[in-house]
Amino acid sequence: MTQTQSTARHRVVIIGSGFGGLFAAKKLKRADADVTVIARTSYHLFQPLLYQVATGVLSSGEVAPATREVLARQKNTSVLLGDVTDIDLDNRVVTSRVAGRVMHTPYDSLIVAAGSGQSYFGNDRFATFAPGMKSIDDALELRARIFGAFEMAELSDDPAEIQRLMTFVVVGAGPTGVEMAGQIAELAHRTLRRDFRKIDTTKTRILLLDGAPRILATFREKTAVKAAARLAKIGVEIRTGAMVTDMDATGITVRHEDGSEERVESTCKVWAAGVQASPLGRQLGEKAGADVDRAGRVAVNPDLTLPGHPEVFVVGDLAALALPGVAQVAIQGGKFAAGRINDRLKGKESDRAFSKPFHYFDKGDMATISRFSAIAEIGRFTFSGFVGWLLWLCVHLVYLTGFKSKVTTLVHWTVSFVGRGRSERVITEQQEHARMALEVLHEEHEHGDEPPPAESRRDSEVVADRAR
Amino acid sequence: MTQTQSTARHRVVIIGSGFGGLFAAKKLKRADADVTVIARTSYHLFQPLLYQVATGVLSSGEVAPATREVLARQKNTSVLLGDVTDIDLDNRVVTSRVAGRVMHTPYDSLIVAAGSGQSYFGNDRFATFAPGMKSIDDALELRARIFGAFEMAELSDDPAEIQRLMTFVVVGAGPTGVEMAGQIAELAHRTLRRDFRKIDTTKTRILLLDGAPRILATFREKTAVKAAARLAKIGVEIRTGAMVTDMDATGITVRHEDGSEERVESTCKVWAAGVQASPLGRQLGEKAGADVDRAGRVAVNPDLTLPGHPEVFVVGDLAALALPGVAQVAIQGGKFAAGRINDRLKGKESDRAFSKPFHYFDKGDMATISRFSAIAEIGRFTFSGFVGWLLWLCVHLVYLTGFKSKVTTLVHWTVSFVGRGRSERVITEQQEHARMALEVLHEEHEHGDEPPPAESRRDSEVVADRAR
């Protein structure tokens, strides 16, 4: 592969290193083109396993291999770190920024796979109290909050505070919310059972809320019922038809279907409720005169191209298709777009406004509930329990990118599923300080700092009180 | 183990969950006492492998198991998260703080194993530019800076800037500095070789500085010479007799023995030069009227007790002993102190001012230089090269706490040593933003943000310029 690179060589730019971007890049491996992947993070994120990073099963490296390493042997492909701020459709230049540096990258073909972030449905201040589940930062922050809540409960001797610290609320009962709730339940009821002396972690409350009438709306009702039964069995309380109306450092307010409001005291909340497409969706829509839906996704032609721009493909969460926001949609979209570019480069297809349309092949969907128990829908078939879990295990091992992750991941899974261990539990001091700032924000539960008299101190086991 | 805990039961408090604290706690496993470990972090840190977290070999969980998990089955022991701010020697109460909460923990026996932090020898502002190697936060920050430097170099087309980003300076040539320099060299020359397209990572410069006349001052000269030769071979430039006199975001100023000053342009600096004992050393010294040395370590009796306080033991880096600041000194000190408490509880030894003195058994010292190459000194014997490395491997596998870490660590080591991989390379966005702030601080190398005219943009591969 020592081709001399002339400036006349076709330039493909891919925005994003998620499922859409990475699989598009891989599909262009043999293309006679210079491929550039521009992404905001240096890693490809295997988002479906992020909940295991948050709950201490896997390390960040296991779900987030360096994109550069994944594509190292693909000589025609460069990886650039950068947050794309502008796409100049007329001059065909992508502008990105990182660490005060601005880059301009020209393209002949563009694949926009910028994905989506968390949506708080207009209540962005909720983000402080309930981190989402979209990035490694989110997962590490949640890990610190989940394990930190138990640490703080162990230090407290105020029953109300202990109750609040040991109540976890997961908002959103799609696959991510279900998996998160299930993992917190396992953590509390199994993993941490022997770790604490004052608190009994098996008394932990886990609430799973959703505004919809049932959990797992994208699954069949039969499957969802099975999942709900299993969740109830491992100690997750499900509240459907429940809308979050307010939130602060110590709790959450929920409005039920009958209009009644309920306040749940809870320190650690997780937001798994909605997504909002990258701002690039709106930008592309405005520039190309294409529709943008409420979730910020841009309307595309049946071949995933941007209206009026056959050289620009939009794939994954950013494209307004009547498809779920799952990895397979992004993977197949990315591969499809790359395939069209390959065809054009080989002269098999002209650069027309409309080419072969994209068809999504539904390979099914799955979610783990607890160890040895998962639900899976593949075609007309539904699997649950142990068989579903084995399916889940195989599919995830096959899809995990890179050999290294697979082996250590298998080891981590073995110790977590067969044993009780969670070896990835580190809370950084930075996170501890952030949590402290959050707690200090909320003063309603604070009392004096006065140490008790020496006598009573000697008599008590451990005397805890709050700072002024 | 269902003994009822009466208030008359002996209370042992251990401050710190490092080597001294953890091994003291383990030694008290069968003691008829309530043992409480109070530590600032929720993990026990295996500091000798921290450099592997910084260079992407190991995950944080592998070198930092949760203290609580390590001690889970030790029923007489509680673990409390807290930063100890005061030790009341008269009333025998330890005060600690965490997240705005203040705890008072009374003790009958106390083991202070609070360890040490990085010392910048009075130049604390250096900390911003050259993180130390004392905590998981340090290691993750360095990881982000090391991998981030290569990412930024790939984006640049200013030769001076690329040179600066690809020059790494390690200050301090003790075992930690030597291991760090060796790992950065391996990373640049081996691991990342195929990952980049514009930069050639094998051109990376790694400088290892020390004010002393030779590297590895605690090792024999013969061993240090071998290590220096191996380091030179893998591309590390050694500068001995070199004092750091100044530092900023883009470089470091060094004064050589002949009085000449040299400015080295370097973005990523690592500080492995000195340690400063926890402030608790000075506090104990003042309260007990004991001497405190320049490194903040408090003078202790031959039995490691604080003068005038036979119930207070000081172990590890915090005790002013004529011993090196290595894990073995802390481990043996912690075990010794716990052993004395065990003896007293069994009535074998009275609570006298002076009991059996502590004797350190030197098991030797070792440091890895590169994969398959390490130096080790055990008794009269010196090992180097592959034999030294095998010794290093065995010793570290044996000492790593907990079964889980051992298996995944072995897998990570296999892929790193036999293959080229570094699977733990995640840079969080939080760190990216911090790095950005640091870069923006330094404006001297910035030029305009004007995009080039459209024509020239289309002709260039990738056009990079700096933000205003």
Side-chain angles (χ1 to χ4, degrees):
Chain A
M1 286 275 230
T2 48
Q3 294 165 305
T4 51
Q5 301 194 348
S6 76
T7 51
R9 209 172 175 210
H10 194 85
R11 294 162 303 187
V12 182
V13 169
I14 298 170
I15 301 175
S17 62
F19 287 109
L22 190 70
F23 280 81
K26 286 183 159 219
K27 182 89 178 180
L28 290 164
K29 185 172 186 156
R30 273 176 258 281
D32 181 22
D34 292 323
V35 180
T36 305
V37 177
I38 306 178
R40 213 155 48 90
T41 62
S42 58
Y43 53 79
H44 163 66
L45 179 63
F46 197 89
Q47 200 273 341
L49 285 175
L50 202 53
Y51 73 96
Q52 295 201 357
V53 175
T55 52
V57 177
L58 298 180
S59 72
S60 55
E62 285 170 314
V63 301
T67 313
R68 190 173 289 299
E69 194 183 11
V70 176
L71 297 172
R73 283 161 192 276
Q74 196 165 318
K75 299 288 181 209
N76 67 346
T77 306
S78 311
V79 177
L80 297 182
L81 193 64
D83 191 4
V84 172
T85 51
D86 187 69
I87 299 169
D88 182 341
L89 292 172
D90 298 328
N91 294 306
R92 300 188 178 179
V93 174
V94 170
T95 301
S96 59
R97 284 164 194 266
V98 61
R101 182 193 305 274
V102 179
M103 305 280 303
H104 303 289
T105 314
Y107 65 83
D108 298 306
S109 296
L110 177 68
I111 299 176
V112 189
S116 57
Q118 211 73 58
S119 166
Y120 287 88
F121 307 124
N123 290 300
D124 286 351
R125 64 189 189 82
F126 288 2
T128 314
F129 310 115
M133 279 289 285
K134 296 301 283 181
S135 69
I136 286 286
D137 285 65
D138 287 341
L140 295 179
E141 177 60 33
L142 280 171
R143 181 197 282 180
R145 292 193 189 196
I146 293 166
F147 288 98
F150 291 110
E151 292 290 340
M152 297 308 292
E154 179 81 345
L155 295 177
S156 177
D157 37 27
D158 169 355
E161 186 181 35
I162 293 171
Q163 177 71 51
R164 187 167 67 235
L165 284 161
M166 288 173 65
T167 301
F168 296 83
V169 179
V170 178
V171 184
T176 300
V178 163
E179 289 178 320
M180 194 71 194
Q183 282 299 307
I184 298 175
E186 289 244 311
L187 194 63
H189 297 300
R190 231 168 54 87
T191 309
L192 298 180
R193 204 154 38 105
R194 292 203 185 85
D195 283 14
F196 293 86
R197 299 290 173 260
K198 285 179 69 189
I199 58 169
D200 176 359
T201 62
T202 64
K203 301 238 167 79
T204 303
R205 262 187 93 189
I206 300 114
L207 265 76
L208 178 62
L209 309 180
D210 206 299
R214 68 167 170 96
I215 66 165
L216 296 166
T218 57
F219 285 74
R220 291 181 201 119
E221 181 140 17
K222 196 179 88 180
T223 317
V225 168
K226 278 189 184 160
R230 177 76 199 157
L231 283 169
K233 204 175 163 196
I234 62 169
V236 175
E237 297 172 42
I238 297 172
R239 307 274 175 92
T240 50
M243 302 289 291
V244 175
T245 55
D246 201 12
M247 201 184 279
D248 55 38
T250 58
I252 194 164
T253 307
V254 175
R255 190 172 54 231
H256 294 286
E257 272 174 329
D258 61 8
S260 67
E261 290 221 328
E262 180 191 7
R263 160 92 180 170
V264 180
E265 294 285 308
S266 161
T267 304
C268 183
K269 284 86 70 181
V270 182
W271 193 264
V275 295
Q276 179 69 29
S278 151
L280 290 180
R282 188 160 303 281
Q283 194 188 115
L284 284 176
E286 279 166 14
K287 289 190 177 179
D291 287 343
V292 176
D293 69 10
R294 270 181 58 198
R297 306 182 306 168
V298 63
V300 290
N301 294 323
D303 65 350
L304 301 184
T305 56
L306 190 66
H309 290 273
E311 77 285 4
V312 178
F313 294 86
V314 182
V315 306
D317 280 2
L318 202 60
L321 302 167
L323 293 171
V326 297
Q328 273 301 323
V329 170
I331 291 171
Q332 293 179 28
K335 283 181 173 177
F336 174 86
R340 294 297 69 70
I341 293 170
N342 276 332
D343 286 350
R344 288 176 191 175
L345 285 171
K346 290 179 188 155
K348 283 188 196 162
E349 193 180 286
S350 64
D351 198 342
R352 290 166 305 178
F354 292 96
S355 60
K356 196 170 103 180
F358 169 63
H359 288 296
Y360 171 59
F361 174 65
D362 187 357
K363 291 190 177 176
D365 203 358
M366 41 180 53
T368 36
I369 314 293
S370 61
R371 62 173 192 149
F372 309 144
S373 179
I375 48 158
E377 290 181 348
I378 298 171
R380 292 178 303 114
F381 303 102
T382 301
F383 303 91
S384 62
F386 190 63
V387 177
W389 185 81
L390 281 180
L391 263 173
W392 172 89
L393 187 69
C394 295
V395 167
H396 284 80
L397 277 179
V398 169
Y399 272 96
L400 274 184
T401 314
F403 166 72
K404 292 162 294 279
S405 323
K406 266 181 223 167
V407 180
T408 60
T409 302
L410 203 54
V411 173
H412 275 142
W413 281 348
T414 307
V415 297
S416 297
F417 298 143
V418 182
R420 286 181 314 120
R422 304 266 172 133
S423 51
E424 296 292 339
R425 285 162 59 166
V426 167
I427 306 174
T428 66
E429 288 173 68
Q430 197 174 28
Q431 288 165 330
E432 241 172 64
H433 296 157
R435 206 172 59 241
M436 179 162 66
L438 195 66
E439 292 234 350
V440 168
L441 254 179
H442 208 87
E443 290 170 293
E444 65 174 74
H445 300 276
E446 303 197 1
H447 3 115
D449 184 7
E450 216 83 60
E455 256 337 283
S456 79
R457 269 190 274 171
R458 301 273 339 239
D459 289 346
S460 64
E461 256 311 285
V462 167
V463 186
D465 47 338
R466 306 281 308 204
R468 256 186 280 265
Chain B
M1 286 270 232
T2 47
Q3 293 163 306
T4 51
Q5 302 192 351
S6 78
T7 51
R9 209 173 175 207
H10 194 84
R11 294 161 303 185
V12 183
V13 169
I14 299 171
I15 301 174
S17 62
F19 287 108
L22 189 70
F23 280 81
K26 286 181 159 222
K27 182 90 178 180
L28 290 164
K29 183 172 188 155
R30 274 175 258 281
D32 181 23
D34 292 324
V35 180
T36 305
V37 178
I38 306 178
R40 213 156 47 90
T41 63
S42 58
Y43 53 81
H44 162 66
L45 179 62
F46 196 88
Q47 200 274 338
L49 286 175
L50 202 53
Y51 73 96
Q52 296 202 356
V53 175
T55 52
V57 177
L58 298 180
S59 73
S60 54
E62 285 170 312
V63 302
T67 313
R68 188 173 292 298
E69 193 183 10
V70 175
L71 297 172
R73 282 160 193 278
Q74 196 165 317
K75 300 287 180 210
N76 67 345
T77 306
S78 310
V79 177
L80 298 181
L81 192 64
D83 192 3
V84 172
T85 51
D86 187 69
I87 299 169
D88 182 342
L89 292 172
D90 298 329
N91 294 307
R92 300 188 179 180
V93 174
V94 170
T95 302
S96 58
R97 285 165 193 265
V98 62
R101 181 193 307 273
V102 179
M103 304 280 303
H104 304 286
T105 314
Y107 64 85
D108 299 306
S109 295
L110 177 68
I111 300 176
V112 189
S116 56
Q118 211 72 58
S119 166
Y120 288 87
F121 307 124
N123 291 300
D124 286 351
R125 65 190 188 82
F126 289 1
T128 313
F129 309 115
M133 280 289 286
K134 296 301 283 182
S135 70
I136 286 287
D137 285 65
D138 287 341
L140 295 179
E141 177 60 32
L142 280 170
R143 182 196 281 180
R145 291 193 190 197
I146 292 166
F147 288 98
F150 291 111
E151 292 290 341
M152 297 309 291
E154 179 81 347
L155 295 176
S156 177
D157 36 27
D158 170 356
E161 186 181 34
I162 293 171
Q163 178 70 52
R164 185 167 68 237
L165 284 161
M166 289 174 64
T167 301
F168 295 82
V169 179
V170 178
V171 184
T176 300
V178 163
E179 290 179 318
M180 193 71 193
Q183 282 299 306
I184 297 175
E186 290 243 311
L187 194 63
H189 297 301
R190 231 168 55 86
T191 310
L192 298 179
R193 204 153 39 103
R194 294 204 185 85
D195 283 15
F196 294 86
R197 298 291 173 260
K198 285 179 70 190
I199 58 167
D200 176 358
T201 62
T202 64
K203 300 236 168 79
T204 303
R205 264 185 93 190
I206 301 112
L207 266 76
L208 178 62
L209 308 180
D210 206 299
R214 68 166 170 94
I215 66 166
L216 296 166
T218 57
F219 285 74
R220 292 183 200 117
E221 181 141 17
K222 195 179 89 180
T223 317
V225 168
K226 279 188 185 162
R230 177 76 199 157
L231 283 169
K233 204 175 163 196
I234 62 170
V236 175
E237 298 172 43
I238 298 173
R239 306 274 175 92
T240 51
M243 302 289 291
V244 174
T245 55
D246 201 13
M247 201 184 278
D248 55 37
T250 59
I252 193 164
T253 306
V254 175
R255 189 170 57 230
H256 295 286
E257 271 174 328
D258 62 8
S260 68
E261 289 221 327
E262 181 191 7
R263 161 91 180 172
V264 180
E265 294 285 308
S266 161
T267 305
C268 182
K269 284 86 71 181
V270 182
W271 193 264
V275 295
Q276 179 69 31
S278 151
L280 290 179
R282 189 160 302 281
Q283 193 188 116
L284 285 175
E286 279 166 14
K287 291 190 176 178
D291 287 342
V292 177
D293 69 10
R294 270 181 58 198
R297 306 182 307 169
V298 63
V300 289
N301 294 323
D303 65 350
L304 301 184
T305 56
L306 190 67
H309 290 273
E311 77 285 5
V312 179
F313 294 86
V314 182
V315 305
D317 280 3
L318 202 60
L321 302 167
L323 292 171
V326 296
Q328 273 301 324
V329 170
I331 291 171
Q332 293 179 29
K335 283 181 172 175
F336 174 87
R340 295 296 69 69
I341 293 170
N342 276 333
D343 286 351
R344 289 177 191 172
L345 285 171
K346 290 179 189 153
K348 283 189 198 163
E349 193 181 286
S350 65
D351 199 341
R352 292 165 304 177
F354 292 96
S355 59
K356 196 170 105 180
F358 169 63
H359 288 296
Y360 171 58
F361 174 65
D362 187 357
K363 292 190 177 177
D365 203 359
M366 42 179 53
T368 36
I369 315 290
S370 61
R371 61 171 193 151
F372 309 143
S373 179
I375 49 159
E377 290 182 349
I378 297 169
R380 293 179 304 112
F381 303 102
T382 301
F383 303 92
S384 62
F386 190 64
V387 176
W389 185 80
L390 282 180
L391 263 172
W392 171 88
L393 188 68
C394 295
V395 167
H396 283 81
L397 278 179
V398 169
Y399 272 97
L400 274 185
T401 316
F403 167 73
K404 290 161 296 278
S405 323
K406 266 182 224 167
V407 181
T408 60
T409 302
L410 203 54
V411 173
H412 275 143
W413 281 349
T414 306
V415 296
S416 298
F417 298 145
V418 182
R420 287 181 312 119
R422 305 266 173 134
S423 51
E424 295 292 337
R425 286 162 59 167
V426 167
I427 306 174
T428 66
E429 289 174 67
Q430 196 173 26
Q431 287 164 330
E432 242 172 62
H433 296 159
R435 205 172 60 241
M436 180 162 65
L438 195 65
E439 291 234 349
V440 168
L441 254 180
H442 208 87
E443 290 171 294
E444 63 174 76
H445 300 276
E446 302 198 1
H447 4 117
D449 185 5
E450 216 81 61
E455 256 335 282
S456 80
R457 270 190 275 168
R458 302 275 335 241
D459 288 347
S460 65
E461 255 310 285
V462 168
V463 187
D465 48 336
R466 304 282 307 204
R468 258 185 281 266

